[in-house]
Amino acid sequence: MNRKIFIWLISPTLLFLLVIQIYPSLYSWYLSFGKIKGGVYTFVGLKNFVRLLNNSDFYESLGRTGVFTIAFLAACIGIGLIVALLLSRCTRFTGIYMTIIFIPMVLSEVVSGTMWRWMFQQSFGLVQAFLNPFINNVSILSKPWGAMAVVIAASVWKQLAFTALLFLGALQTVPKELFESAAIDGATRSEMFWKITWVIIRPTVLLASIMTTIRGINALGLILATTQGGPGASTMTEAVLLYRTAWQFGRFGDAAALSVMMFLINITLGAVYIRLMKDH
Amino acid sequence: MKKVFVFMVLGFLLIMPVLMFAAGESEEPETMGPVTVWSEVNIKAPQTNLDEDFAKAVVGIEDAIGTELIIATTPYKEISAKVNLAVQAGGDVPDVAQLKVSKLAFHVDNGTLMDITDYVEASPWYDGMDKAALDAGRGPDGKIYAVPFNTRSTLTYSYTAAFPDGPPMTTDDVLAAGPGLKAKGLFTITGKASEQQGVQVWWWPLIRTFGGHFADSEGNVAWANDATVKAIEFTREIIAKGYAPEVILSPGFDDEIPFMNGDVGAFNAGSWSYVWLNPLTTPSGVKYDNKSASVEEAIKAGDLVLSPQISAPGSKPVTPLDGILWAIPVGAENVKGAEAFIDFMMQTKVNTDVAYAWGGVPTIEEGKNDPRYSDSVYWSKVTEFMSDYAEAMEPVANYDEATLKFADIAIDLIHSPDKDIMSVLKQAQDEINAK
Amino acid sequence: MLIRSKGQIIKDEIVTHGLLIFFSLIMIFPVALSLMTSFKTKTDVMILPPQFFPPTWTLEGYRKVFQSDLIPIYMPNSAINAFTATFLTVILASFAAYGFSRFKFKGSRALQMGILGLMMIPGVTNLVSYYKLGSQLGILSTHLIMILVYTGFELPFGLLILKNFFDAIPIDLEEAAKIDGCKSLQVLWHVIIPLSLPGVFVASLLILVYLWNEFLFAVTLLSANEARTAMVGLYDFQTSFEVAYHALSAASIIVLLPMLVIFLLGRKTFFRAMMEGALKG
């Protein structure tokens, strides 16, 4: 392929990205250095950033984002791996299982959030009613830890199929002969997993982790549909805080500053992951 | 597989004309185009009592105003935000927006509403309007920025089955009734203590009657005071002891459900609550299922009693005065149409119907003589409490942000009994005022 | 260990299938519950203790949904926006992905990283910019703006997926075809396109589902009733104080059906492509 063809191939994409992503982001960046009132923009320099860094909400939301993302990541990867392993050992019904497990992924966040909120509704929620005898009638969604747990569960529920599928694909690339020779050498099942399977699927795990982490940090729709950031601020992650600042309070300058910070965090994590991938 | 590809190309060729056609639809309208109203009602496919009542009230409006009426149904919590975004970013501004009095300061501060003083004072319904209510639509500069069409306040609903000796009047009454009701398997009180509305209907009255203020006269929040501490301690106590259901801290309106099911003795209600509170079941099992008439029937049967908002011991009750307004945002295309719409809505009969649908008192004086108000046990009590105890909340420009922040920290303090209330309040107060 | 006794095999099967059935039930439960709720009456939705099955089966919820604009207006809007944007995205991303896959140059990796880095920008960030741009161009509340925004938004993701698939097609095949005398265009038609179709299918399905379900941009950039999409339209059934759960559930079921059907029809191709395909890092 020569240079000319390549340029033709990527120009439309680059054009789109320039107009739809780059330009608005730059405008956003510009907004982060100012304040908008009555439609008029005034430049305030770094004031928005200073105020943001002095705001307890910013740090608390950061903490909640951390909790959410780590739990989300661990569950998606861990449970996804387990499901993939189970599926790879199946000979029959694999298609049916995979289809059912994938259904949550085709649902929207709005619909999923509503479903989960309905399940845990204090008076009419089926799951809440089922759990009531065990937890002394405590309404799960009205407790900070409860709301966070539900939000994490709903997000994992929705995303699980994706990681499971990625892992299943990776598992299929593990050559059976390796297991045979390992068995001959007397290896245990767990040794065979860690020394053979894990080594081969590790790059996929890493890729899945990157994608899941970014999803987790930017997760917004599901949280809004389930708890709206509540009760209080207990499920207000950075993404929810950003949404509130821009949308509910109409403070676009501050919201832009927050999104710059979030972008920096995302980029840093991305760089960390890439470094991890390179090392391998 | 190639067939798929061909299919996709054909599909694209089919879609292109639709795309062109659709994109062309946003051309300039002719002179007196339709009037666009952003409101929470849905008259095309009414889902709730409010929708149905409003739809009935505006029958014939299009003939009267001479053009098409388009109501863009918008969730009530988002109308203010969307209007603000539309004006600030120069986008699709509606001709009329339905707003709450409590958000007026926010809009005036952001310059999103048109000054309609001249229009209002020259309008045919101006003379018949309750002037005190009209003040709710004025900005700090005295100019009129919105037209209130009803006034609303709060009160307490109590089941006589739970309170045979009379409804609870003070926080001490609630605490005293707690153990007895708990033994019967009932909560003592419920109400909304979360989000912006929770601040207005639960926290603010408590803070005021304990002797404090939410904000000062400059619009800065001033909630770091002893009164607030006491309000939080009270709420903490009733939840911890099981006198109030946890759900009062949840977003949404699930706090109403225990009262509707007869699991709670008292409900910290808004004058509008009866519109939504049905079917109603008392703790003794009597059921009322007649849409918005359920509450009235329960009162007439003696199962439900009305009393002022719960207050601190020894203090006169305070109930927040709020209302709903029609406003014309800056940059609206069809100002003539907007004015025609408001003129129609402010006719005595329509104003009364709409005010009633939204659970408030009409702002056109004559509307108050309507039998629905004058003959109603419910409304006579509500207007009595309103005139004796109603007070408008201190105007706060960043209302949503301040109230949301307060609700957040209040709920957090309730869940964490070891945190020092005053220092958390002070820190949050400083953060909000630094904006 | 590879040779297991008959008893061990049966035990393994039971455990494996048992766990998978357990997971499947969890996955499907909320949807099943929604389905049941959609057939309940307004009051049955709120009876205590809560029931899974409707005490009385009714189509009241569905009737309310059919009375609304969901099916005649909102869903076609969603369809137009989602399908067109998906189509545009996949075409453009395929070109770019093929280019990146076959043409290596010095800054290639950096450029790709840059494009992928755009995915790290939270969606809400550009809301105001889109709104302002949109209103200045007079295209707010139109299909055009949604399609443009959706395409721009999904391009990096499409690029990521498609490049992985193109990388998996050995370049030797193209070389071999050229040696056999095929001209570039023929190579494209006979070699590349057939082999890339699984990847294109996966990317299309994932992007289509995402855009059909998209809510945030749709609720911001579309205020006119006629332009509303299905997801935003769901909020018609959830006004301030009341949530008409039976109607909301019915609407949710109706809204998810198109994507579910498409997924069910294409699932074998999708799964095969995902697994044989190249998403291995």
Side-chain angles (χ1 to χ4, degrees):
Chain A
M1 167 177 308
N2 61 39
R3 198 192 187 83
K4 206 163 127 207
I5 298 187
F6 175 69
I7 297 203
W8 274 106
L9 284 176
I10 65 164
S11 306
T13 301
L14 286 184
L15 186 66
F16 252 96
L17 290 178
L18 210 65
V19 173
I20 308 277
Q21 292 233 31
I22 311 257
Y23 173 60
S25 303
L26 290 178
Y27 181 69
S28 234
W29 209 40
Y30 162 70
L31 277 185
S32 72
F33 291 119
K35 245 173 136 89
I36 291 195
K37 224 163 209 196
V40 176
Y41 174 87
T42 21
F43 183 77
V44 293
L46 290 173
K47 224 163 88 163
N48 289 337
F49 288 96
V50 170
R51 210 171 38 216
L52 185 68
L53 292 172
N54 277 330
N55 193 345
S56 60
D57 276 341
F58 175 66
Y59 296 106
E60 284 175 21
S61 304
L62 206 55
R64 287 182 212 114
T65 312
V67 168
F68 175 80
T69 309
I70 293 177
F72 180 63
L73 182 67
C76 280
I77 302 287
I79 304 181
L81 201 51
I82 294 177
V83 170
L85 283 169
L86 288 172
L87 283 172
S88 67
R89 289 147 69 84
C90 258
T91 39
R92 304 168 289 167
F93 306 131
T94 324
I96 299 183
Y97 288 129
M98 293 204 312
T99 307
I100 294 184
I101 292 179
F102 203 80
I103 286 183
M105 270 211 90
V106 302
L107 264 44
S108 74
E109 295 181 315
V110 178
V111 168
S112 309
T114 313
M115 285 178 183
W116 278 79
R117 183 161 48 117
W118 181 234
M119 292 197 311
F120 284 91
Q121 215 272 344
Q122 198 206 23
S123 317
F124 314 120
L126 262 177
V127 180
Q128 173 76 46
F130 178 71
L131 293 174
N132 269 338
F134 307 109
I135 54 174
N136 215 8
N137 286 10
V138 166
S139 161
I140 296 181
L141 276 184
S142 55
K143 287 261 183 242
W145 52 262
M148 183 57 100
V150 170
V151 154
I152 294 175
S155 306
V156 172
W157 172 83
K158 198 165 176 315
Q159 185 68 356
L160 192 62
F162 189 68
T163 42
L165 214 51
L166 278 182
F167 291 154
L168 190 55
L171 282 175
Q172 311 233 322
T173 64
V174 179
K176 298 264 193 286
E177 308 81 56
L178 287 180
F179 288 119
E180 280 160 13
S181 25
I184 293 175
D185 285 347
T188 65
R189 290 249 277 244
S190 114
E191 272 177 354
M192 285 202 285
F193 175 73
W194 286 109
K195 297 235 165 77
I196 305 178
T197 321
W198 178 251
V199 169
I200 297 191
I201 65 172
R202 217 166 54 189
T204 312
V205 174
L206 210 44
L207 178 70
S209 300
I210 301 179
M211 297 177 88
T212 312
T213 309
I214 295 187
R215 262 217 112 88
I217 295 184
N218 293 321
L220 181 61
L222 194 53
I223 300 183
L224 283 182
T226 323
T227 59
Q228 291 150 269
S234 29
T235 52
M236 187 162 80
T237 59
E238 290 289 335
V240 178
L241 178 62
L242 177 57
Y243 175 78
R244 270 194 189 179
T245 313
W247 191 234
Q248 287 190 320
F249 309 151
R251 289 194 293 108
F252 305 119
D254 290 301
L258 180 56
S259 67
V260 169
M261 298 300 295
M262 278 184 73
F263 175 66
L264 290 175
I265 294 174
N266 280 343
I267 289 282
T268 316
L269 278 173
V272 166
Y273 269 117
I274 294 186
R275 172 51 70 81
L276 283 176
M277 276 190 80
K278 277 218 179 95
D279 282 349
H280 148 83
Chain B
M1 274 301 179
K2 276 195 194 170
K3 266 209 286 198
V4 176
F5 183 64
V6 173
F7 182 60
M8 275 166 35
V9 173
L10 281 177
F12 182 60
L13 289 174
L14 285 172
I15 287 179
M16 277 313 271
V18 182
L19 182 57
M20 301 294 182
F21 178 62
E25 264 176 328
S26 64
E27 249 116 50
E28 292 296 322
E30 316 84 46
T31 37
M32 175 68 148
V35 177
T36 311
V37 178
W38 284 5
S39 162
E40 63 180 298
V41 295
N42 182 348
I43 53 176
K44 278 179 85 174
Q47 300 289 331
T48 63
N49 294 335
L50 173 60
D51 293 338
E52 287 168 12
D53 291 342
F54 188 87
K56 279 190 233 147
V58 297
V59 165
I61 186 172
E62 288 185 337
D63 294 326
I65 64 177
T67 181
E68 196 193 340
L69 173 68
I70 300 179
I71 297 199
T73 309
T74 318
Y76 83 104
K77 264 200 291 195
E78 294 180 14
I79 301 182
S80 270
K82 289 191 83 156
V83 168
N84 186 43
L85 178 63
V87 175
Q88 304 289 15
D92 257 359
V93 177
D95 300 310
V96 181
Q98 169 212 322
L99 302 171
K100 276 179 94 171
V101 164
S102 41
K103 294 301 292 289
L104 191 67
F106 168 73
H107 284 287
V108 174
D109 193 55
N110 279 311
T112 53
L113 302 179
M114 282 176 64
D115 173 3
I116 50 176
T117 319
D118 297 333
Y119 155 66
V120 171
E121 289 177 354
S123 67
W125 39 267
Y126 177 68
D127 290 330
M129 192 161 182
D130 176 352
K131 299 298 186 298
L134 182 57
D135 284 342
R138 287 183 198 275
D141 53 7
K143 301 212 175 86
I144 303 179
Y145 288 98
V147 181
F149 65 80
N150 73 5
T151 45
R152 320 198 301 181
S153 64
T154 58
L155 67 164
T156 310
Y157 296 175
S158 312
Y159 286 124
T160 43
F163 295 100
D165 299 326
M169 300 289 280
T170 69
T171 53
D172 283 349
D173 290 342
V174 172
L175 290 170
L181 288 174
K182 197 165 172 201
K184 287 198 232 167
L186 299 174
F187 289 105
T188 312
I189 188 164
T190 181
K192 185 167 169 66
S194 62
E195 302 179 296
Q196 298 98 314
Q197 189 167 316
V199 175
Q200 188 190 43
V201 309
W202 180 276
W203 295 107
W204 182 74
L206 282 176
I207 297 177
R208 288 290 296 119
T209 53
F210 272 117
H213 275 278
F214 185 78
D216 63 24
S217 46
E218 320 263 295
N220 293 323
V221 300
W223 59 55
N225 56 56
D226 286 327
T228 315
V229 175
K230 294 207 190 102
I232 295 183
E233 282 173 350
F234 167 68
T235 315
R236 230 189 221 173
E237 202 179 333
I238 58 175
I239 292 187
K241 292 193 175 154
Y243 303 159
E246 290 256 13
V247 83
I248 71 174
L249 305 176
S250 300
F253 295 94
D254 290 345
D255 57 287
E256 297 175 356
I257 295 178
F259 188 76
M260 280 166 64
N261 292 339
D263 291 333
V264 183
F267 175 49
N268 183 12
S271 57
W272 60 84
S273 297
Y274 73 91
V275 175
W276 315 92
L277 236 54
N278 78 278
L280 214 55
T281 312
T282 73
S284 42
V286 182
K287 189 156 176 186
Y288 296 91
D289 192 356
N290 195 359
K291 298 203 164 176
S292 39
S294 299
V295 168
E296 180 95 10
E297 284 178 15
I299 299 177
K300 290 210 175 102
D303 281 331
L304 193 73
V305 158
L306 302 178
S307 53
Q309 173 106 14
I310 303 272
S311 55
S315 162
K316 198 173 105 150
V318 166
T319 160
L321 191 60
D322 198 344
I324 313 191
L325 341 129
W326 301 118
I328 307 182
V330 168
E333 266 179 28
N334 192 353
V335 178
K336 281 268 160 286
E339 290 173 355
F341 174 83
I342 298 182
D343 284 340
F344 183 91
M345 299 306 290
M346 292 308 278
Q347 293 170 101
T348 309
K349 172 99 189 8
V350 181
N351 177 248
T352 313
D353 287 344
V354 169
Y356 189 77
W358 252 293
V361 175
T363 50
I364 298 288
E365 291 281 8
E366 218 187 290
K368 299 183 195 170
N369 298 332
D370 187 291
R372 280 173 293 188
Y373 290 98
S374 50
D375 289 349
S376 156
V377 176
Y378 182 82
W379 282 108
S380 340
K381 273 277 171 214
V382 171
T383 37
E384 179 195 314
F385 297 153
M386 223 188 254
S387 46
D388 290 343
Y389 309 122
E391 197 183 302
M393 207 169 140
E394 309 91 334
V396 178
N398 49 346
Y399 183 82
D400 266 356
E401 190 177 354
T403 48
L404 222 46
K405 177 81 174 157
F406 181 82
D408 286 352
I409 58 176
I411 292 177
D412 181 47
L413 285 168
I414 291 177
H415 280 130
S416 329
D418 340 304
K419 285 199 184 158
D420 175 46
I421 299 182
M422 192 51 132
S423 51
V424 172
L425 289 176
K426 189 95 192 26
Q427 185 195 15
Q429 179 178 297
D430 293 337
E431 269 176 26
I432 292 281
N433 287 336
K435 312 272 175 194
Chain C
M1 291 314 130
L2 277 174
I3 305 189
R4 298 171 283 168
S5 67
K6 193 116 188 263
Q8 181 76 356
I9 294 181
I10 293 184
K11 205 173 90 158
D12 278 347
E13 291 267 303
I14 293 181
V15 168
T16 308
H17 283 276
L19 282 174
L20 281 173
I21 291 180
F22 173 68
F23 278 120
S24 303
L25 285 176
I26 294 184
M27 287 293 156
I28 201 100
F29 180 70
V31 185
L33 181 60
S34 244
L35 190 63
M36 290 298 122
T37 312
S38 69
F39 289 116
K40 292 183 184 163
T41 66
K42 192 167 183 183
T43 36
D44 277 349
V45 160
M46 301 207 263
I47 53 170
L48 292 171
Q51 308 272 355
F52 181 76
F53 291 103
T56 349
W57 290 77
T58 171
L59 289 178
E60 195 183 305
Y62 287 97
R63 211 175 306 132
K64 275 219 124 66
V65 174
F66 279 105
Q67 279 170 0
S68 75
D69 285 333
L70 186 74
I71 298 177
I73 300 187
Y74 302 157
M75 283 178 67
N77 282 338
S78 279
I80 295 177
N81 294 342
F83 279 91
T84 316
T86 302
F87 189 81
L88 211 52
T89 306
V90 170
I91 297 275
L92 293 185
S94 299
F95 290 164
Y98 182 64
F100 275 115
S101 175
R102 298 305 189 227
F103 184 70
K104 312 283 186 201
F105 60 100
K106 194 129 184 277
S108 176
R109 192 145 176 97
L111 186 56
Q112 286 174 61
M113 286 290 136
I115 294 180
L116 293 181
L118 290 175
M119 289 203 290
M120 315 253 188
I121 302 177
V124 190
T125 307
N126 296 334
L127 224 48
V128 181
S129 314
Y130 291 146
Y131 201 79
K132 232 184 154 65
L133 271 173
S135 70
Q136 274 164 3
L137 293 172
I139 53 172
L140 275 185
S141 285
T142 58
H143 291 293
L144 188 59
I145 192 173
M146 294 314 295
I147 293 171
L148 290 178
V149 167
Y150 279 165
T151 307
F153 212 66
E154 288 296 302
L155 272 174
F157 179 70
L159 188 63
L160 176 67
I161 301 237
L162 286 165
K163 177 165 174 305
N164 265 298
F165 277 96
F166 277 119
D167 282 345
I169 301 177
I171 199 161
D172 315 325
L173 283 176
E174 293 171 55
E175 317 268 289
K178 284 230 180 78
I179 291 176
D180 280 353
C182 290
K183 299 217 288 275
S184 285
L185 211 58
Q186 284 176 308
V187 173
L188 190 68
W189 186 254
H190 290 256
V191 178
I192 313 272
I193 289 185
L195 286 176
S196 67
L197 280 178
V200 166
F201 190 76
V202 168
S204 303
L205 188 67
L206 288 174
I207 294 178
L208 182 65
V209 167
Y210 181 79
L211 291 179
W212 174 268
N213 290 333
E214 204 279 329
F215 175 73
L216 215 53
F217 286 178
V219 83
T220 312
L221 300 172
L222 301 170
S223 31
N225 277 355
E226 319 85 59
R228 193 167 300 164
T229 61
M231 290 307 143
V232 180
L234 282 182
Y235 276 84
D236 274 3
F237 303 101
Q238 271 197 86
T239 61
S240 14
F241 302 95
E242 257 184 48
V243 184
Y245 274 112
H246 62 311
L248 182 61
S249 302
S252 303
I253 298 285
I254 293 181
V255 148
L256 70 84
L257 277 179
M259 288 301 116
L260 188 62
V261 166
I262 291 183
F263 167 64
L264 287 176
L265 287 178
R267 74 184 189 281
K268 288 220 163 72
T269 324
F270 180 74
F271 287 139
R272 204 174 351 128
M274 276 283 274
M275 303 211 305
E276 288 167 15
L279 288 177
K280 300 199 178 51

